[in-house]
Amino acid sequence: MKILHVDTGKEWRGGQRQALLLHEGLLENSVESYLAGNESGKLIKKCKKNCIPYRYKGEINPVSIFNLKKIIDHVKPDIVHSHDAHSLTPSLILKYLGFKYKLVHTRRVDFHIKNGLMSRWKYNNKNTDSLVAISEAVKNILISDGIKRPVEKIYSGLDMSSVVKLSDNKKNDLRKKLGINPGDFIIGSVGNFVPHKDFATLIRAFRLVYDEKKNVKLLLVGEGELLNEMRKLAEDLNISDKIIFTGYAENVDELMNIMDLYAATSQEEGLNTSVIEAMMHGLPVVATKAGGLPELVKDDYNGYLCDIKDYTGVADKLTILLNDEEKTHRFSLNSFEISEKFEEAHVVEKYRNLYQKI
C-alpha cells in the first residue's frame, strides 16, 4: 500500500503538523508513504524522508495540476490523501482525467462550505473515496452544509513521547530569558494571529485578570497578520509590559513548560492541536465553546468553557484557577488523562485502517 500526502500550505500550522506526523507515523509502521508539500512552504523543509516539493500556483491553475500529475506519475500511489482544501481540487481533477487511485480528504476547519459550485463539487462527488473530519464539530458542519456522503471522524493527535519536559533549572533559565519574575503566574496561548483565533478576547480578559492579580503575565506564542494590532491593543489597555509576544517560535514545547494555565479564545476551531499539546503538559485549559474545543475541554473537569467573545467570563474562570491551587492541580491531572486519547499512534492506526478499507 503506497500513500501520497498532499498539502499546499506555505505556513506551519496545525494542518501541516498533522500531515507530517501522519506521514512519519506511517513510515514507522512500514507503510510506504510520500509527502508532497508546497515548494515554498515550511512543511517541505521539515520533512526528512520521501519528501517531494510541489510547485503549486492555485487550485485550478494548469501548472498546479500538471505538477501534481508528474508527482503522481513518479510515485504511482494507491491512495492520494489531500490535507487541505486547495490540494483536494487538483487531486480530484486528475481522478476525473482517468488516474486510478483512491482519494482521501481530511477537513480540518469548522468553517461552513462556501456556496460556490467549485466548493460544493469538491465535497459532494463520487470521486472522493473517503471524507474525514477531525472532530464531531467539523463533521456536523459538513452534514449541516448538505454533504450527503458518509463522513468519517478521526481526531488529530500528537506524539506524547516527544513532549519535552524541562528541569526546574532550565525552566528558571527560560523564564529569566523572557523577563518573567520567579513568583509570576503564566497564562499561555499558542496560535496564529488571525481573525478566527480572536486573541483580542484573551487580551481583554487578561486586563481584568491583572486587575485582580498583579503577579501574572500572558505569554502569547505565534505570528500572523493581526500580531501588530494585538500589540497595539495591549498598549491601549496599558498592559503591554505584562504580555510577552514571542512571534514565531520553534520551541513551543519548551515554552509550555513554564505555563501555569492555558487559554484558547477562538471564534471558530476545528479541534486545536495546541490545546492537545497543553493538555499533554498537564495544563488546565480555559476555552471558548468554539468548534471542537468542547471535545477537548470538559467544563469543571480539566478546565472551563466560556461563551465565544465573552472576555469577562474568560477572566472570571482564569482568576478562579489562579486562586485555587487544589482545583488547578486536579484539573492538571485530568487534562493529562484526557490527552492520552489523542496520542499520535491512535491516529496513525485509524488512518491505516481507513486506507485498507478503501
Side-chain angles (χ1 to χ4, degrees), residues 98-119:
F99 280 78
K100 304 296 183 184
Y101 52 77
K102 300 294 185 180
L103 178 59
V104 174
H105 177 68
T106 297
R107 178 78 172 173
R108 303 187 183 280
V109 295
D110 69 333
F111 310 152
H112 285 280
I113 297 172
K114 295 177 182 177
N115 285 322
L117 289 175
M118 175 67 75
S119 295

mmCIF file with all atom_site columns, all heavy atoms in Angstrom, residues 98-119:
data_model
loop_
_atom_site.group_PDB
_atom_site.id
_atom_site.type_symbol
_atom_site.label_atom_id
_atom_site.label_alt_id
_atom_site.label_comp_id
_atom_site.label_asym_id
_atom_site.label_entity_id
_atom_site.label_seq_id
_atom_site.pdbx_PDB_ins_code
_atom_site.Cartn_x
_atom_site.Cartn_y
_atom_site.Cartn_z
_atom_site.occupancy
_atom_site.B_iso_or_equiv
_atom_site.pdbx_formal_charge
_atom_site.auth_seq_id
_atom_site.auth_comp_id
_atom_site.auth_asym_id
_atom_site.auth_atom_id
_atom_site.pdbx_PDB_model_num
ATOM 1   N N   . GLY A 1 98  ? -8.802  10.313 -15.297 1.00 0.00 ? 98  GLY A N   1
ATOM 2   C CA  . GLY A 1 98  ? -8.559  8.896  -15.501 1.00 0.00 ? 98  GLY A CA  1
ATOM 3   C C   . GLY A 1 98  ? -7.499  8.250  -14.634 1.00 0.00 ? 98  GLY A C   1
ATOM 4   O O   . GLY A 1 98  ? -7.214  7.061  -14.781 1.00 0.00 ? 98  GLY A O   1
ATOM 5   N N   . PHE A 1 99  ? -6.888  9.004  -13.712 1.00 0.00 ? 99  PHE A N   1
ATOM 6   C CA  . PHE A 1 99  ? -5.886  8.398  -12.835 1.00 0.00 ? 99  PHE A CA  1
ATOM 7   C C   . PHE A 1 99  ? -6.567  7.447  -11.851 1.00 0.00 ? 99  PHE A C   1
ATOM 8   O O   . PHE A 1 99  ? -7.607  7.766  -11.265 1.00 0.00 ? 99  PHE A O   1
ATOM 9   C CB  . PHE A 1 99  ? -5.097  9.470  -12.090 1.00 0.00 ? 99  PHE A CB  1
ATOM 10  C CG  . PHE A 1 99  ? -4.011  10.096 -12.919 1.00 0.00 ? 99  PHE A CG  1
ATOM 11  C CD1 . PHE A 1 99  ? -4.313  11.045 -13.877 1.00 0.00 ? 99  PHE A CD1 1
ATOM 12  C CD2 . PHE A 1 99  ? -2.695  9.700  -12.777 1.00 0.00 ? 99  PHE A CD2 1
ATOM 13  C CE1 . PHE A 1 99  ? -3.328  11.608 -14.656 1.00 0.00 ? 99  PHE A CE1 1
ATOM 14  C CE2 . PHE A 1 99  ? -1.692  10.249 -13.549 1.00 0.00 ? 99  PHE A CE2 1
ATOM 15  C CZ  . PHE A 1 99  ? -2.009  11.215 -14.506 1.00 0.00 ? 99  PHE A CZ  1
ATOM 16  N N   . LYS A 1 100 ? -5.965  6.295  -11.639 1.00 0.00 ? 100 LYS A N   1
ATOM 17  C CA  . LYS A 1 100 ? -6.597  5.218  -10.869 1.00 0.00 ? 100 LYS A CA  1
ATOM 18  C C   . LYS A 1 100 ? -6.024  5.153  -9.453  1.00 0.00 ? 100 LYS A C   1
ATOM 19  O O   . LYS A 1 100 ? -5.185  4.316  -9.143  1.00 0.00 ? 100 LYS A O   1
ATOM 20  C CB  . LYS A 1 100 ? -6.405  3.875  -11.580 1.00 0.00 ? 100 LYS A CB  1
ATOM 21  C CG  . LYS A 1 100 ? -6.919  3.844  -13.016 1.00 0.00 ? 100 LYS A CG  1
ATOM 22  C CD  . LYS A 1 100 ? -8.427  4.044  -13.078 1.00 0.00 ? 100 LYS A CD  1
ATOM 23  C CE  . LYS A 1 100 ? -8.940  3.934  -14.507 1.00 0.00 ? 100 LYS A CE  1
ATOM 24  N NZ  . LYS A 1 100 ? -10.389 4.219  -14.602 1.00 0.00 ? 100 LYS A NZ  1
ATOM 25  N N   . TYR A 1 101 ? -6.425  6.062  -8.619  1.00 0.00 ? 101 TYR A N   1
ATOM 26  C CA  . TYR A 1 101 ? -6.057  5.983  -7.204  1.00 0.00 ? 101 TYR A CA  1
ATOM 27  C C   . TYR A 1 101 ? -7.286  6.290  -6.375  1.00 0.00 ? 101 TYR A C   1
ATOM 28  O O   . TYR A 1 101 ? -8.242  6.909  -6.838  1.00 0.00 ? 101 TYR A O   1
ATOM 29  C CB  . TYR A 1 101 ? -4.924  6.953  -6.856  1.00 0.00 ? 101 TYR A CB  1
ATOM 30  C CG  . TYR A 1 101 ? -5.141  8.389  -7.283  1.00 0.00 ? 101 TYR A CG  1
ATOM 31  C CD1 . TYR A 1 101 ? -5.982  9.241  -6.571  1.00 0.00 ? 101 TYR A CD1 1
ATOM 32  C CD2 . TYR A 1 101 ? -4.491  8.896  -8.406  1.00 0.00 ? 101 TYR A CD2 1
ATOM 33  C CE1 . TYR A 1 101 ? -6.183  10.554 -6.964  1.00 0.00 ? 101 TYR A CE1 1
ATOM 34  C CE2 . TYR A 1 101 ? -4.689  10.214 -8.806  1.00 0.00 ? 101 TYR A CE2 1
ATOM 35  C CZ  . TYR A 1 101 ? -5.524  11.038 -8.081  1.00 0.00 ? 101 TYR A CZ  1
ATOM 36  O OH  . TYR A 1 101 ? -5.727  12.329 -8.484  1.00 0.00 ? 101 TYR A OH  1
ATOM 37  N N   . LYS A 1 102 ? -7.265  5.838  -5.132  1.00 0.00 ? 102 LYS A N   1
ATOM 38  C CA  . LYS A 1 102 ? -8.310  6.197  -4.181  1.00 0.00 ? 102 LYS A CA  1
ATOM 39  C C   . LYS A 1 102 ? -7.959  7.557  -3.579  1.00 0.00 ? 102 LYS A C   1
ATOM 40  O O   . LYS A 1 102 ? -6.777  7.878  -3.384  1.00 0.00 ? 102 LYS A O   1
ATOM 41  C CB  . LYS A 1 102 ? -8.442  5.148  -3.074  1.00 0.00 ? 102 LYS A CB  1
ATOM 42  C CG  . LYS A 1 102 ? -8.803  3.750  -3.580  1.00 0.00 ? 102 LYS A CG  1
ATOM 43  C CD  . LYS A 1 102 ? -10.186 3.725  -4.169  1.00 0.00 ? 102 LYS A CD  1
ATOM 44  C CE  . LYS A 1 102 ? -10.592 2.301  -4.553  1.00 0.00 ? 102 LYS A CE  1
ATOM 45  N NZ  . LYS A 1 102 ? -11.945 2.245  -5.124  1.00 0.00 ? 102 LYS A NZ  1
ATOM 46  N N   . LEU A 1 103 ? -8.979  8.341  -3.284  1.00 0.00 ? 103 LEU A N   1
ATOM 47  C CA  . LEU A 1 103 ? -8.743  9.693  -2.780  1.00 0.00 ? 103 LEU A CA  1
ATOM 48  C C   . LEU A 1 103 ? -9.383  9.867  -1.405  1.00 0.00 ? 103 LEU A C   1
ATOM 49  O O   . LEU A 1 103 ? -10.570 9.632  -1.218  1.00 0.00 ? 103 LEU A O   1
ATOM 50  C CB  . LEU A 1 103 ? -9.329  10.718 -3.755  1.00 0.00 ? 103 LEU A CB  1
ATOM 51  C CG  . LEU A 1 103 ? -9.205  12.200 -3.361  1.00 0.00 ? 103 LEU A CG  1
ATOM 52  C CD1 . LEU A 1 103 ? -7.740  12.600 -3.167  1.00 0.00 ? 103 LEU A CD1 1
ATOM 53  C CD2 . LEU A 1 103 ? -9.863  13.089 -4.425  1.00 0.00 ? 103 LEU A CD2 1
ATOM 54  N N   . VAL A 1 104 ? -8.543  10.294 -0.449  1.00 0.00 ? 104 VAL A N   1
ATOM 55  C CA  . VAL A 1 104 ? -8.987  10.609 0.915   1.00 0.00 ? 104 VAL A CA  1
ATOM 56  C C   . VAL A 1 104 ? -8.764  12.102 1.135   1.00 0.00 ? 104 VAL A C   1
ATOM 57  O O   . VAL A 1 104 ? -7.717  12.645 0.760   1.00 0.00 ? 104 VAL A O   1
ATOM 58  C CB  . VAL A 1 104 ? -8.183  9.804  1.960   1.00 0.00 ? 104 VAL A CB  1
ATOM 59  C CG1 . VAL A 1 104 ? -8.547  10.236 3.386   1.00 0.00 ? 104 VAL A CG1 1
ATOM 60  C CG2 . VAL A 1 104 ? -8.422  8.314  1.780   1.00 0.00 ? 104 VAL A CG2 1
ATOM 61  N N   . HIS A 1 105 ? -9.744  12.752 1.732   1.00 0.00 ? 105 HIS A N   1
ATOM 62  C CA  . HIS A 1 105 ? -9.565  14.166 2.080   1.00 0.00 ? 105 HIS A CA  1
ATOM 63  C C   . HIS A 1 105 ? -9.909  14.377 3.546   1.00 0.00 ? 105 HIS A C   1
ATOM 64  O O   . HIS A 1 105 ? -10.937 13.900 4.040   1.00 0.00 ? 105 HIS A O   1
ATOM 65  C CB  . HIS A 1 105 ? -10.449 15.077 1.237   1.00 0.00 ? 105 HIS A CB  1
ATOM 66  C CG  . HIS A 1 105 ? -10.332 16.523 1.636   1.00 0.00 ? 105 HIS A CG  1
ATOM 67  N ND1 . HIS A 1 105 ? -9.185  17.252 1.447   1.00 0.00 ? 105 HIS A ND1 1
ATOM 68  C CD2 . HIS A 1 105 ? -11.212 17.365 2.264   1.00 0.00 ? 105 HIS A CD2 1
ATOM 69  C CE1 . HIS A 1 105 ? -9.355  18.474 1.915   1.00 0.00 ? 105 HIS A CE1 1
ATOM 70  N NE2 . HIS A 1 105 ? -10.575 18.568 2.426   1.00 0.00 ? 105 HIS A NE2 1
ATOM 71  N N   . THR A 1 106 ? -9.038  15.122 4.248   1.00 0.00 ? 106 THR A N   1
ATOM 72  C CA  . THR A 1 106 ? -9.296  15.476 5.642   1.00 0.00 ? 106 THR A CA  1
ATOM 73  C C   . THR A 1 106 ? -9.700  16.932 5.742   1.00 0.00 ? 106 THR A C   1
ATOM 74  O O   . THR A 1 106 ? -8.977  17.826 5.293   1.00 0.00 ? 106 THR A O   1
ATOM 75  C CB  . THR A 1 106 ? -8.053  15.221 6.513   1.00 0.00 ? 106 THR A CB  1
ATOM 76  O OG1 . THR A 1 106 ? -7.748  13.819 6.499   1.00 0.00 ? 106 THR A OG1 1
ATOM 77  C CG2 . THR A 1 106 ? -8.306  15.642 7.957   1.00 0.00 ? 106 THR A CG2 1
ATOM 78  N N   . ARG A 1 107 ? -10.865 17.170 6.323   1.00 0.00 ? 107 ARG A N   1
ATOM 79  C CA  . ARG A 1 107 ? -11.388 18.517 6.557   1.00 0.00 ? 107 ARG A CA  1
ATOM 80  C C   . ARG A 1 107 ? -11.037 18.917 7.985   1.00 0.00 ? 107 ARG A C   1
ATOM 81  O O   . ARG A 1 107 ? -11.445 18.254 8.951   1.00 0.00 ? 107 ARG A O   1
ATOM 82  C CB  . ARG A 1 107 ? -12.905 18.529 6.344   1.00 0.00 ? 107 ARG A CB  1
ATOM 83  C CG  . ARG A 1 107 ? -13.592 19.860 6.600   1.00 0.00 ? 107 ARG A CG  1
ATOM 84  C CD  . ARG A 1 107 ? -13.418 20.835 5.477   1.00 0.00 ? 107 ARG A CD  1
ATOM 85  N NE  . ARG A 1 107 ? -14.240 22.029 5.672   1.00 0.00 ? 107 ARG A NE  1
ATOM 86  C CZ  . ARG A 1 107 ? -14.184 23.107 4.907   1.00 0.00 ? 107 ARG A CZ  1
ATOM 87  N NH1 . ARG A 1 107 ? -13.349 23.135 3.878   1.00 0.00 ? 107 ARG A NH1 1
ATOM 88  N NH2 . ARG A 1 107 ? -14.961 24.144 5.142   1.00 0.00 ? 107 ARG A NH2 1
ATOM 89  N N   . ARG A 1 108 ? -10.267 20.003 8.140   1.00 0.00 ? 108 ARG A N   1
ATOM 90  C CA  . ARG A 1 108 ? -9.725  20.362 9.446   1.00 0.00 ? 108 ARG A CA  1
ATOM 91  C C   . ARG A 1 108 ? -10.366 21.601 10.065  1.00 0.00 ? 108 ARG A C   1
ATOM 92  O O   . ARG A 1 108 ? -10.090 21.919 11.214  1.00 0.00 ? 108 ARG A O   1
ATOM 93  C CB  . ARG A 1 108 ? -8.212  20.603 9.337   1.00 0.00 ? 108 ARG A CB  1
ATOM 94  C CG  . ARG A 1 108 ? -7.460  19.397 8.788   1.00 0.00 ? 108 ARG A CG  1
ATOM 95  C CD  . ARG A 1 108 ? -5.946  19.598 8.855   1.00 0.00 ? 108 ARG A CD  1
ATOM 96  N NE  . ARG A 1 108 ? -5.263  18.461 8.272   1.00 0.00 ? 108 ARG A NE  1
ATOM 97  C CZ  . ARG A 1 108 ? -5.051  17.305 8.877   1.00 0.00 ? 108 ARG A CZ  1
ATOM 98  N NH1 . ARG A 1 108 ? -5.480  17.144 10.126  1.00 0.00 ? 108 ARG A NH1 1
ATOM 99  N NH2 . ARG A 1 108 ? -4.437  16.313 8.269   1.00 0.00 ? 108 ARG A NH2 1
ATOM 100 N N   . VAL A 1 109 ? -11.162 22.336 9.315   1.00 0.00 ? 109 VAL A N   1
ATOM 101 C CA  . VAL A 1 109 ? -11.704 23.604 9.817   1.00 0.00 ? 109 VAL A CA  1
ATOM 102 C C   . VAL A 1 109 ? -13.208 23.501 10.020  1.00 0.00 ? 109 VAL A C   1
ATOM 103 O O   . VAL A 1 109 ? -13.885 22.726 9.341   1.00 0.00 ? 109 VAL A O   1
ATOM 104 C CB  . VAL A 1 109 ? -11.385 24.758 8.852   1.00 0.00 ? 109 VAL A CB  1
ATOM 105 C CG1 . VAL A 1 109 ? -9.886  25.010 8.788   1.00 0.00 ? 109 VAL A CG1 1
ATOM 106 C CG2 . VAL A 1 109 ? -11.930 24.471 7.448   1.00 0.00 ? 109 VAL A CG2 1
ATOM 107 N N   . ASP A 1 110 ? -13.730 24.294 10.948  1.00 0.00 ? 110 ASP A N   1
ATOM 108 C CA  . ASP A 1 110 ? -15.177 24.279 11.184  1.00 0.00 ? 110 ASP A CA  1
ATOM 109 C C   . ASP A 1 110 ? -15.864 25.447 10.495  1.00 0.00 ? 110 ASP A C   1
ATOM 110 O O   . ASP A 1 110 ? -16.924 25.894 10.919  1.00 0.00 ? 110 ASP A O   1
ATOM 111 C CB  . ASP A 1 110 ? -15.494 24.248 12.682  1.00 0.00 ? 110 ASP A CB  1
ATOM 112 C CG  . ASP A 1 110 ? -15.129 25.550 13.393  1.00 0.00 ? 110 ASP A CG  1
ATOM 113 O OD1 . ASP A 1 110 ? -14.218 26.247 12.914  1.00 0.00 ? 110 ASP A OD1 1
ATOM 114 O OD2 . ASP A 1 110 ? -15.748 25.862 14.429  1.00 0.00 ? 110 ASP A OD2 1
ATOM 115 N N   . PHE A 1 111 ? -15.253 25.936 9.403   1.00 0.00 ? 111 PHE A N   1
ATOM 116 C CA  . PHE A 1 111 ? -15.910 26.947 8.582   1.00 0.00 ? 111 PHE A CA  1
ATOM 117 C C   . PHE A 1 111 ? -16.972 26.253 7.732   1.00 0.00 ? 111 PHE A C   1
ATOM 118 O O   . PHE A 1 111 ? -16.809 25.113 7.311   1.00 0.00 ? 111 PHE A O   1
ATOM 119 C CB  . PHE A 1 111 ? -14.927 27.645 7.633   1.00 0.00 ? 111 PHE A CB  1
ATOM 120 C CG  . PHE A 1 111 ? -13.673 28.156 8.282   1.00 0.00 ? 111 PHE A CG  1
ATOM 121 C CD1 . PHE A 1 111 ? -12.502 28.274 7.546   1.00 0.00 ? 111 PHE A CD1 1
ATOM 122 C CD2 . PHE A 1 111 ? -13.637 28.516 9.615   1.00 0.00 ? 111 PHE A CD2 1
ATOM 123 C CE1 . PHE A 1 111 ? -11.335 28.738 8.126   1.00 0.00 ? 111 PHE A CE1 1
ATOM 124 C CE2 . PHE A 1 111 ? -12.483 28.992 10.210  1.00 0.00 ? 111 PHE A CE2 1
ATOM 125 C CZ  . PHE A 1 111 ? -11.330 29.102 9.466   1.00 0.00 ? 111 PHE A CZ  1
ATOM 126 N N   . HIS A 1 112 ? -18.033 26.974 7.448   1.00 0.00 ? 112 HIS A N   1
ATOM 127 C CA  . HIS A 1 112 ? -19.044 26.437 6.543   1.00 0.00 ? 112 HIS A CA  1
ATOM 128 C C   . HIS A 1 112 ? -18.499 26.420 5.116   1.00 0.00 ? 112 HIS A C   1
ATOM 129 O O   . HIS A 1 112 ? -17.710 27.283 4.721   1.00 0.00 ? 112 HIS A O   1
ATOM 130 C CB  . HIS A 1 112 ? -20.327 27.266 6.606   1.00 0.00 ? 112 HIS A CB  1
ATOM 131 C CG  . HIS A 1 112 ? -21.131 27.015 7.843   1.00 0.00 ? 112 HIS A CG  1
ATOM 132 N ND1 . HIS A 1 112 ? -21.962 25.914 7.972   1.00 0.00 ? 112 HIS A ND1 1
ATOM 133 C CD2 . HIS A 1 112 ? -21.206 27.697 9.015   1.00 0.00 ? 112 HIS A CD2 1
ATOM 134 C CE1 . HIS A 1 112 ? -22.524 25.946 9.172   1.00 0.00 ? 112 HIS A CE1 1
ATOM 135 N NE2 . HIS A 1 112 ? -22.080 27.008 9.823   1.00 0.00 ? 112 HIS A NE2 1
ATOM 136 N N   . ILE A 1 113 ? -18.911 25.421 4.346   1.00 0.00 ? 113 ILE A N   1
ATOM 137 C CA  . ILE A 1 113 ? -18.507 25.329 2.948   1.00 0.00 ? 113 ILE A CA  1
ATOM 138 C C   . ILE A 1 113 ? -19.139 26.475 2.170   1.00 0.00 ? 113 ILE A C   1
ATOM 139 O O   . ILE A 1 113 ? -20.308 26.791 2.348   1.00 0.00 ? 113 ILE A O   1
ATOM 140 C CB  . ILE A 1 113 ? -18.954 23.974 2.347   1.00 0.00 ? 113 ILE A CB  1
ATOM 141 C CG1 . ILE A 1 113 ? -18.247 22.826 3.073   1.00 0.00 ? 113 ILE A CG1 1
ATOM 142 C CG2 . ILE A 1 113 ? -18.648 23.907 0.861   1.00 0.00 ? 113 ILE A CG2 1
ATOM 143 C CD1 . ILE A 1 113 ? -18.769 21.471 2.684   1.00 0.00 ? 113 ILE A CD1 1
ATOM 144 N N   . LYS A 1 114 ? -18.351 27.098 1.313   1.00 0.00 ? 114 LYS A N   1
ATOM 145 C CA  . LYS A 1 114 ? -18.863 28.208 0.508   1.00 0.00 ? 114 LYS A CA  1
ATOM 146 C C   . LYS A 1 114 ? -19.947 27.707 -0.450  1.00 0.00 ? 114 LYS A C   1
ATOM 147 O O   . LYS A 1 114 ? -19.973 26.533 -0.828  1.00 0.00 ? 114 LYS A O   1
ATOM 148 C CB  . LYS A 1 114 ? -17.725 28.853 -0.269  1.00 0.00 ? 114 LYS A CB  1
ATOM 149 C CG  . LYS A 1 114 ? -16.684 29.522 0.625   1.00 0.00 ? 114 LYS A CG  1
ATOM 150 C CD  . LYS A 1 114 ? -15.542 30.083 -0.187  1.00 0.00 ? 114 LYS A CD  1
ATOM 151 C CE  . LYS A 1 114 ? -14.481 30.707 0.720   1.00 0.00 ? 114 LYS A CE  1
ATOM 152 N NZ  . LYS A 1 114 ? -13.319 31.206 -0.051  1.00 0.00 ? 114 LYS A NZ  1
ATOM 153 N N   . ASN A 1 115 ? -20.801 28.616 -0.861  1.00 0.00 ? 115 ASN A N   1
ATOM 154 C CA  . ASN A 1 115 ? -21.934 28.251 -1.710  1.00 0.00 ? 115 ASN A CA  1
ATOM 155 C C   . ASN A 1 115 ? -21.580 28.125 -3.195  1.00 0.00 ? 115 ASN A C   1
ATOM 156 O O   . ASN A 1 115 ? -22.420 27.744 -3.996  1.00 0.00 ? 115 ASN A O   1
ATOM 157 C CB  . ASN A 1 115 ? -23.068 29.276 -1.555  1.00 0.00 ? 115 ASN A CB  1
ATOM 158 C CG  . ASN A 1 115 ? -23.804 29.098 -0.229  1.00 0.00 ? 115 ASN A CG  1
ATOM 159 O OD1 . ASN A 1 115 ? -24.013 27.967 0.216   1.00 0.00 ? 115 ASN A OD1 1
ATOM 160 N ND2 . ASN A 1 115 ? -24.149 30.198 0.407   1.00 0.00 ? 115 ASN A ND2 1
ATOM 161 N N   . GLY A 1 116 ? -20.345 28.448 -3.564  1.00 0.00 ? 116 GLY A N   1
ATOM 162 C CA  . GLY A 1 116 ? -19.944 28.365 -4.967  1.00 0.00 ? 116 GLY A CA  1
ATOM 163 C C   . GLY A 1 116 ? -19.976 26.939 -5.493  1.00 0.00 ? 116 GLY A C   1
ATOM 164 O O   . GLY A 1 116 ? -19.868 25.966 -4.737  1.00 0.00 ? 116 GLY A O   1
ATOM 165 N N   . LEU A 1 117 ? -20.109 26.811 -6.799  1.00 0.00 ? 117 LEU A N   1
ATOM 166 C CA  . LEU A 1 117 ? -20.177 25.485 -7.428  1.00 0.00 ? 117 LEU A CA  1
ATOM 167 C C   . LEU A 1 117 ? -18.920 24.672 -7.172  1.00 0.00 ? 117 LEU A C   1
ATOM 168 O O   . LEU A 1 117 ? -18.986 23.464 -6.942  1.00 0.00 ? 117 LEU A O   1
ATOM 169 C CB  . LEU A 1 117 ? -20.413 25.637 -8.938  1.00 0.00 ? 117 LEU A CB  1
ATOM 170 C CG  . LEU A 1 117 ? -21.804 26.131 -9.366  1.00 0.00 ? 117 LEU A CG  1
ATOM 171 C CD1 . LEU A 1 117 ? -21.849 26.343 -10.873 1.00 0.00 ? 117 LEU A CD1 1
ATOM 172 C CD2 . LEU A 1 117 ? -22.879 25.139 -8.928  1.00 0.00 ? 117 LEU A CD2 1
ATOM 173 N N   . MET A 1 118 ? -17.745 25.334 -7.216  1.00 0.00 ? 118 MET A N   1
ATOM 174 C CA  . MET A 1 118 ? -16.487 24.619 -7.004  1.00 0.00 ? 118 MET A CA  1
ATOM 175 C C   . MET A 1 118 ? -16.436 23.982 -5.617  1.00 0.00 ? 118 MET A C   1
ATOM 176 O O   . MET A 1 118 ? -16.096 22.808 -5.467  1.00 0.00 ? 118 MET A O   1
ATOM 177 C CB  . MET A 1 118 ? -15.309 25.577 -7.187  1.00 0.00 ? 118 MET A CB  1
ATOM 178 C CG  . MET A 1 118 ? -13.949 24.971 -6.861  1.00 0.00 ? 118 MET A CG  1
ATOM 179 S SD  . MET A 1 118 ? -13.462 23.665 -8.008  1.00 0.00 ? 118 MET A SD  1
ATOM 180 C CE  . MET A 1 118 ? -13.020 24.648 -9.425  1.00 0.00 ? 118 MET A CE  1
ATOM 181 N N   . SER A 1 119 ? -16.793 24.775 -4.602  1.00 0.00 ? 119 SER A N   1
ATOM 182 C CA  . SER A 1 119 ? -16.746 24.257 -3.228  1.00 0.00 ? 119 SER A CA  1
ATOM 183 C C   . SER A 1 119 ? -17.724 23.106 -3.037  1.00 0.00 ? 119 SER A C   1
ATOM 184 O O   . SER A 1 119 ? -17.387 22.083 -2.427  1.00 0.00 ? 119 SER A O   1
ATOM 185 C CB  . SER A 1 119 ? -17.055 25.374 -2.229  1.00 0.00 ? 119 SER A CB  1
ATOM 186 O OG  . SER A 1 119 ? -16.061 26.365 -2.273  1.00 0.00 ? 119 SER A OG  1
#
